[in-house]
Structures are given as structure tokens and as C-alpha cells.
Amino acid sequence: MAVESGPGIPPSALGARHPNFGRLIRDEATDTVVCHVCGRAFRSLGAHIRVHDMTAAEYRREFGLLRTRALSARSLSRQQSRTRLAGYRASEETQTRFEAGRAMARSGELARRRWNTDAQRRPDSEELRQARRASLDAGRRTQTRAAGERTAAALRAQGFTDLEQALRTVYADQQHSIEDTARILAIGRNPVRRLLTEYGIPIRPSGQNSATGRRARVQLNDRAAAERVGAQDIRVWLRERTAEGATLRELAAATGRSIPWVAARTGAR
């Protein structure tokens, strides 16, 4: 029997066309779904929407719903799903008929064909767009929260109480580069630049090297070379290879650095 309204149905859903576009309206209290056209609630809209001269496919397109959206109450959808599954399991003929489709699904062919159909090239439904936006927003919130936790942990490890204090100490006082400041405080380089501007901390011009900055770059290059050859200390590794008879050219090729760079660390002339 149709229900004119019920608990959980927003007043805006009644008597107006296109309410809640892109979302199936449910009355959880009565386990029914609400017609977007007339605002009446039913266990299933499949038969009802014929009075509005619409098919199920036309209804979904009209109101921005997923093409696979069941137009029925949750309990009815679950019951129908169980019935179909039981029928499938009881029929060898049905299972054989669906075997080709299952094989295509396993191989990925079914997905490829799906994306190549004309129907797939139609604009996405509003419901799908909303679901994608919600997923993207949730992912961004998770990333932001994780980044904040990494920065907070880095600040605690360095003994800082707030981010501005940390930036002034590491970048301005200790004269670390923006890259090293970002690494020490677990922040991206672009956010470091933005935060320096927000806190009124002058950004050093490109090419202006401090002694600390030069030392930091030397250490960074040394770490990269050590990681490349799997060594703990690149200088020790270079001296050991030199003692074994390796040439400067061979060591330069192994570390990915220049011959003068290798010579400076081995004491060769």
C-alpha cells in the first residue's frame, strides 16, 4: 500500500519534481522508497512509475541515478538478491549459460567491452558523480590528516612546540635550505614556501648559499651516492674500493658522480 509520507521523509521531497537529484530517497522508518515525481512511498517503484509514463531506465536518467540502482526498499532488494542467487545455484543450465560471462570477467574482457559501448560514453549520472566527489574528498581528508600527523611527530622529535618556531629555527636561524627544511619537518617544499610567506619569514634568493646550505647539499649528495652502492658511509666505501685497486673512473661510474667528486673524497690527486 502506498504511503503518502512518513518519518524520515523530508518535506521538500513531497509534491515537487526533481527533489534530491542524484539520490534515491528512502524512508528508513517504513523501509520504503519515495517517488521523485509525486512524493509517495512504496516498497518498490518499478510498477508505480508506469503511472508517470516512465520506464525504470527513464526514471534513473531523469533523476540522475545509477543505471544499476535498484528502485526498491533495502529489505526487498536483499530478498530478491537471495532468491536470484538460490535459483542460480540450483540450476546447472543457468550456471553453464553464465560461464562464458564469468570467463570474460576473469580475463578483463568484460570490462573492456563495457567501456567501449555507446552506453558507457553517455554522461555519468549525478549519483555516480556525487559518489566520486565524496570518495575524493574522503581521500583528501585522509591525506591531510596523515600529513599533519607526520609533521606533528617531526616537531616533537626536534623539540619544537609549534610550526612557526620550527621554521624560524631550521630555515632562518640554522640556514637550512628549503629542501632540507621540508625533510626535517616532514612538510612538502611548496607548503614550506607558503608557510614561510605566511609567517613573514624572508625566503633567501635562489643561488644565495649559506655555509649550512652548502654542507647540507654535500651531505645530501653523499647520502644519495651511498644508497646507490648500498654503503653506510660513502667515504669509507670509496677508500676501501680504492685500496682494492678501483680507478677513479670506475668509482665515478659506480656512484653516479664525477671524477673530481670521487677524488675529493678519496684524497686522490
Side-chain angles (χ1 to χ4, degrees):
M1 186 174 93
V3 181
E4 293 295 334
S5 65
I9 303 178
S12 60
L14 303 176
R17 193 173 178 83
H18 294 278
N20 294 281
F21 185 76
R23 183 173 69 86
L24 187 65
I25 312 168
R26 296 184 183 277
D27 179 358
E28 302 294 351
T30 59
D31 191 25
T32 54
V33 288
V34 179
C35 176
H36 285 74
V37 180
C38 63
R40 300 169 68 195
F42 300 85
R43 286 264 291 163
S44 174
L45 296 179
H48 164 71
I49 56 179
R50 294 174 192 164
V51 304
H52 301 302
D53 294 323
M54 303 175 76
T55 65
E58 289 169 343
Y59 183 90
R60 293 184 182 99
R61 285 197 299 272
E62 176 76 9
F63 297 105
L65 302 177
L66 289 170
R67 288 183 290 116
T68 55
R69 168 63 62 210
L71 302 177
S72 55
R74 298 186 196 278
S75 60
L76 182 57
S77 294
R78 288 194 292 267
Q79 177 184 334
Q80 291 172 336
S81 179
R82 288 194 294 267
T83 300
R84 287 192 293 267
L85 181 59
Y88 170 80
R89 288 174 173 171
S91 172
E92 292 185 4
E93 179 184 353
T94 301
Q95 294 179 37
T96 301
R97 194 163 64 247
F98 279 89
E99 178 55 37
R102 289 201 301 271
M104 290 171 63
R106 288 193 295 268
S107 67
E109 177 62 24
L110 196 62
R112 286 191 291 273
R113 291 192 181 188
R114 178 188 174 196
W115 286 105
N116 287 331
T117 59
D118 290 336
Q120 200 61 38
R121 285 194 286 271
R122 290 182 304 190
D124 292 332
S125 71
E126 178 62 21
E127 186 178 15
L128 181 57
R129 285 193 288 271
Q130 288 181 7
R132 287 173 174 168
R133 284 196 295 270
S135 177
L136 182 60
D137 290 343
R140 286 172 173 164
R141 287 193 297 271
T142 298
Q143 290 178 341
T144 299
R145 184 169 57 253
E149 291 171 353
R150 287 194 298 270
T151 299
L155 293 179
R156 288 193 299 270
Q158 297 292 329
F160 296 116
T161 57
D162 63 74
L163 188 53
E164 181 178 357
Q165 174 200 25
L167 287 168
R168 290 188 181 280
T169 301
V170 175
Y171 180 76
D173 298 342
Q174 298 177 356
Q175 292 285 290
H176 281 286
S177 66
I178 284 183
E179 290 76 11
D180 273 351
T181 300
R183 177 180 56 79
I184 293 169
L185 302 181
I187 312 174
R189 285 178 295 180
N190 289 335
V192 165
R193 288 182 176 276
R194 176 177 54 78
L195 289 167
L196 289 172
T197 300
E198 286 183 8
Y199 293 137
I201 304 172
I203 298 177
R204 293 188 295 274
S206 299
Q208 179 176 319
N209 297 323
S210 65
T212 301
R214 286 192 293 272
R215 286 195 300 272
R217 280 188 288 278
V218 168
Q219 293 170 358
L220 187 63
N221 289 334
D222 285 1
R223 282 198 300 269
E227 290 175 1
R228 177 168 179 152
V229 299
Q232 292 293 325
D233 188 316
I234 191 61
R235 295 172 186 268
V236 172
W237 185 88
L238 288 169
R239 286 195 293 270
E240 290 175 347
R241 300 292 87 75
T242 300
E244 294 170 359
T247 65
L248 294 179
R249 187 178 299 277
E250 290 171 340
L251 294 175
T255 57
R257 311 302 300 178
S258 66
I259 291 177
W261 183 91
V262 173
R265 283 156 181 77
T266 58
R269 298 184 183 279

